[in-house]
Amino acid sequence: MTMTQVRAGATRAPAPPARRRRRRPDLLPWAFLAPALILFALFKFVPMARAISMSLYEVRPYLGDRWVGADNFVTIGGDDAFTRAVWQTVLLAVGQTAGSLLIGLVLALLLEGQAKSLWFVRTAVFLPTVAAMAVVAEVWRILYYPAPDGAINTILGWLGMGPSQFLNSPGSALWSVMGVGIWRGAPYDMMIFLAGLAGVDRTLYEAVEVDGANRWRRLWHVTFPQLRPVFAILFTLAAIRGLRVFTEIYLLTNGGPDGSTEVLMTLIYKLGLERNELGVAAAGSVILLLATIVLTIAVQSARARRAR
């Protein structure tokens, strides 16, 4: 009995080190993520919390902030410029999202394959996404030159259409900026679609071909259903990108002419840094944050329902 107890004790003794060894790998990923999480918190969550706090105060530098509660939200909600900027933001987001998704899908279908030459074409098509927005804006400003001998107006002249003012006209400025956003966002969507197309089961294509399905039916009944998760992800990303558009507006029109391209981000920028109404600007940014959260939750909920 004594030898049995000793042997049992000998087998139980190493148990605590084993438990410690199991705990260490759990902490290792967090150790690698810690620097990124710290930076993310400092430059994302702390400013976000500060903006939410500022939205409830009348920010007065050197004089001390004064509590106003929801007055900033009432002020910006009752501003006609804010209402106009909201509708123009929604219109721009819908147009850019639909255009970039459609063109990105078409490009992905055209450039899908394993041929070596396609890698060069894909790289060339993807260049607008990685190009600096300042360079893109300057190039499109040249293309949109409103004179009859401008680059795009020359092509319109060949088609028998009159010259357009593009960025200089209130009726065409927002559509012109939308075109730049679609041109820059479609290649990004194309790459995501290409990744999704690579995961489509090829045996399904063979099965529908045996059943005599043409190319359109193959796309409708096989490709598109397999790409539903990709559509959900891209729709969310493109919609958020459209709601938070700023750089192209700021560089191309700065909200003009006559406020025809003013969006939420440019209005918030002007309220905070040009008019020094930091509390009202923070309230606008909180509204934009809530709209982004609601959009993301709605898309994910719709995706979860379809998955069931």
Side-chain angles (χ1 to χ4, degrees), residues 16-30:
R19 285 196 296 268
R20 286 196 295 269
R21 284 196 299 270
R22 283 197 297 268
R23 290 175 184 172
R24 289 175 184 172
D26 296 337
L27 298 177
L28 187 60
W30 292 104

Side-chain angles (χ1 to χ4, degrees), residues 12 59 62 67 78 146 149 193 201 224 236 239 257-258 263:
R12 292 173 185 170
V59 181
Y62 308 110
W67 172 267
D149 58 347
F193 276 125
D201 189 358
F224 292 162
T236 305
D258 298 330
V263 293

